[in-house]
Amino acid sequence: MFDPSRHYPLKNIKWELELVQQAIRDIAADAISQFNQGRKLPRHPMDDYGVCSDLFMGTTGVIWALTYLDLVQAIDADLDLAALLKEQLSANESELKSTPHPDNASYLFGELPILMLQFKSSPDNRIADKIFQSIEKNNTQPARELMWGTAGSMLCASFLHKWTSENRWQEIFLLQAERMLSEWEKIDGVGYLWSPDLYGRKRKYLGPVHGFTGNVIPLIEGRELLGNRSYEDICSKVIETVVNTATTDEKHANWVAVFEESDRTKTPNLVQHCHGAPGIVTALSKLPRGIDTRFDQCLEKGGELTWHAGALRKGSNLCHGTAGNGYAFLKLYQRTKNDLWLERARVFAMNAIDQCRLSKELYHQGRYTLWTGDLGTAVYLWDCIKGDANFPTIDVF
C-alpha cells in the first residue's frame, strides 16, 4: 500500500523539548535574517521553482508562519509586516497572470491570503472589501478545488465570518457552497466525488489539495454557516465515500491519488499529505466519531499506514514531507485521546528536525516556504509541543 523507495526508516531519536524549541527558533531566525538583509528568498536546490509571492510555496507563506509563531509566543519576530505585505501584493498581481488559472480567486497562489494578513494586522473595511471582491470571482469561475478554486475562497469567507460576524461572508460562503455541492457527482457503489477542471483535465482527485477531501474542508470549517441538517447530510455522504474508496487490510488503509471508475482495483502507493492516507486523515478528522465504525477504523488504519511507511524522502515539509504526515497523528490524538498518537507525532517531529539539519548541511541553506519547506515544519514542531493539531492556513490563519 506504499512505495518504500519514497520513505526513510524512522530513526530512534528521543523527544527533547529544548531541542525542539531551539529548532523552531533556528528555522525562524534563518528566515528573518534573509528578510533583514533585504534578500529575495532563494530557491532551494530540491525545488524546481523560485520563491514567488504566494502562500503555498512563496514569501507570503513564510510571513504567515513567522507572524503565527510570534503570535503564539514560540518566537520573537520583529518584521516590518506592512512593507513586506505591500511588496507581496504588488508582486502577486503580475505573477498570478502566468499561472494555470489566472482568473480564479486562488487561496494558495493568489492575493487572498496577502489581503487577509493585512486585515488581521490592521482591520480596515477597505481591505475587507477587497477580500470580498476577490472571493466574488469564484461565484462564476469553475468550481475546482482548494488550491485554485471555490473551496479555497469558501475557506477565506469562513475565516472572515469568524473574525467579523458580518452577514456578507456567510452569504457568499453559502452561495459558493451551493454551486460546489451542485457539482457533487453520485457514483453507484462508491459515493460522491467531484471532477475538478484542473490544468486542462477533469480528474477525480481524492486528496486535500486538489480533490474530494479538499472540497470537504471548507464545509467542515464552515459547518455553523451551513446549519445542522445540511451538515449532517454532507457528513453522511463524505463518510460513505471515504469508506468505499479506501484500500484496506487488517491493519492499514490508503487511498489512490485519483479515483478512476474504469480501474477500481488500482493499488495506492503515495503516503503524503497531498495524496494518500495522511491527508485524508488530517482533513477529515473533525467529522463526528461513532456514526460509522468503518469510517473510524479507516482513519486509524490510515494513521497506522503512515506510521509504518516512515519519514518521507522529499523532506520535512507539510505538503509531501514528514511534518505533513505527522499531522495525521496529531489529528488522531485529538480525535481519540489516545496518547500513542501524540508519541508517534513527536517521533516524526524529531526525525523532521534531523532531516532539516541534514538538508542544511548538504545544501548550505534553508528551504524558505510554508507548505513545502522549513517554515511549515516549524509550525508542526510547535503543535507537537502543545499537543495541538492546527494545520497551517487550514485550521488556523
Side-chain angles (χ1 to χ4, degrees):
M1 263 186 243
F2 76 100
D3 180 356
S5 69
R6 293 176 174 271
H7 298 264
Y8 290 119
L10 289 167
K11 294 182 179 180
N12 183 20
I13 310 173
K14 183 181 178 182
W15 170 261
E16 292 187 32
L17 177 59
E18 290 185 4
L19 190 153
V20 178
Q21 292 171 324
Q22 188 60 51
I24 295 170
R25 291 193 292 267
D26 288 347
I27 290 170
D30 184 19
I32 292 169
S33 174
Q34 295 288 327
F35 283 134
N36 288 342
Q37 294 178 57
R39 296 177 180 174
K40 178 177 172 60
L41 297 177
R43 179 185 71 83
H44 193 274
M46 290 180 69
D47 300 326
D48 58 2
Y49 47 79
V51 179
C52 295
S53 65
D54 57 86
L55 181 68
F56 183 68
M57 54 189 185
T59 304
T60 297
V62 176
I63 296 169
W64 182 91
L66 294 173
T67 304
Y68 177 76
L69 290 169
D70 183 64
L71 180 67
V72 298
Q73 299 182 330
I75 65 169
D76 184 13
D78 184 17
L79 295 171
D80 187 349
L81 190 61
L84 285 170
L85 292 175
K86 186 177 179 180
E87 290 173 8
Q88 303 320 306
L89 198 57
S90 176
N92 189 261
E93 186 177 354
S94 59
E95 290 170 4
L96 190 63
K97 293 176 182 177
S98 62
T99 64
H101 302 289
D103 297 323
N104 282 45
S106 170
Y107 180 46
L108 295 185
F109 279 95
E111 66 181 359
L112 276 172
I114 308 172
L115 292 168
M116 290 170 69
L117 280 168
Q118 286 183 327
F119 183 81
K120 277 200 76 175
S121 66
S122 181
D124 185 317
N125 285 336
R126 291 170 297 181
I127 300 174
D129 289 344
K130 289 179 181 178
I131 296 171
F132 190 83
Q133 290 162 11
S134 186
I135 291 174
E136 277 187 315
K137 295 176 183 177
N138 284 351
N139 289 351
T140 55
Q141 288 299 309
R144 292 193 172 96
E145 34 72 277
L146 182 74
M147 180 175 281
W148 298 103
T150 305
S153 54
M154 286 171 60
L155 188 60
C156 293
S158 175
F159 280 125
L160 265 293
H161 186 265
K162 290 174 185 175
W163 298 346
T164 70
S165 299
E166 290 181 13
N167 289 336
R168 62 173 171 169
W169 304 110
Q170 180 175 13
E171 290 169 358
I172 199 164
F173 176 91
L174 292 175
L175 187 154
Q176 294 190 1
E178 183 179 1
R179 285 193 69 236
M180 192 167 73
L181 290 170
S182 72
E183 297 184 8
W184 214 0
E185 307 168 36
K186 175 72 167 74
I187 302 173
D188 291 339
V190 176
Y192 300 79
L193 292 171
W194 284 274
S195 299
D197 180 3
L198 184 66
Y199 309 137
R201 299 183 64 186
K202 290 190 175 183
R203 307 177 74 188
K204 292 179 173 64
Y205 288 97
L206 293 184
V209 178
H210 291 310
F212 159 77
T213 309
N215 282 354
V216 174
I217 286 172
L219 299 173
I220 294 174
E221 296 303 316
R223 55 193 175 275
E224 293 181 0
L225 304 179
L226 291 164
N228 290 338
R229 182 175 297 180
S230 294
Y231 185 62
E232 288 171 5
D233 179 61
I234 289 165
C235 288
S236 176
K237 291 176 178 176
V238 171
I239 288 171
E240 175 188 352
T241 306
V242 170
V243 170
N244 288 336
T245 55
T247 299
T248 63
D249 59 24
E250 289 186 5
K251 293 183 177 181
H252 303 132
N254 202 6
W255 288 261
V256 293
V258 180
F259 175 81
E260 298 178 40
E261 294 179 64
S262 60
D263 186 8
R264 298 189 186 184
T265 62
K266 185 178 180 182
T267 302
N269 68 351
L270 295 177
V271 184
Q272 52 198 48
H273 178 77
C274 51
H275 299 297
I280 301 287
V281 174
T282 295
L284 303 182
S285 67
K286 292 181 183 178
L287 290 175
R289 194 178 182 201
I291 291 179
D292 188 326
T293 56
R294 296 174 303 164
F295 174 75
D296 298 337
Q297 291 168 1
C298 274
L299 292 193
E300 293 202 46
K301 285 182 176 182
E304 290 291 348
L305 179 71
T306 304
W307 174 253
H308 181 61
L312 276 155
R313 288 182 177 271
K314 286 189 174 182
S316 65
N317 63 86
L318 296 175
C319 186
H320 37 256
T322 302
N325 283 16
Y327 263 108
F329 305 139
L330 290 175
K331 290 289 188 176
L332 287 169
Y333 172 62
Q334 293 292 321
R335 183 177 175 87
T336 67
K337 310 306 178 188
N338 184 342
D339 289 341
L340 171 68
W341 296 116
L342 179 58
E343 292 169 8
R344 288 179 170 182
R346 287 176 169 173
V347 170
F348 266 48
M350 300 308 293
N351 276 261
I353 291 171
D354 190 58
Q355 284 181 283
C356 276
R357 177 185 61 80
L358 291 172
S359 176
K360 200 158 188 182
E361 287 178 3
L362 179 62
Y363 297 112
H364 308 290
Q365 69 167 81
R367 203 170 181 180
Y368 306 107
T369 69
L370 173 60
W371 277 66
T372 62
D374 298 345
L375 277 301
T377 301
V379 178
Y380 171 68
L381 297 177
W382 175 253
D383 274 359
C384 284
I385 291 172
K386 305 299 288 185
D388 290 333
N390 295 318
F391 196 93
T393 67
I394 300 297
D395 294 300
V396 290
F397 191 91

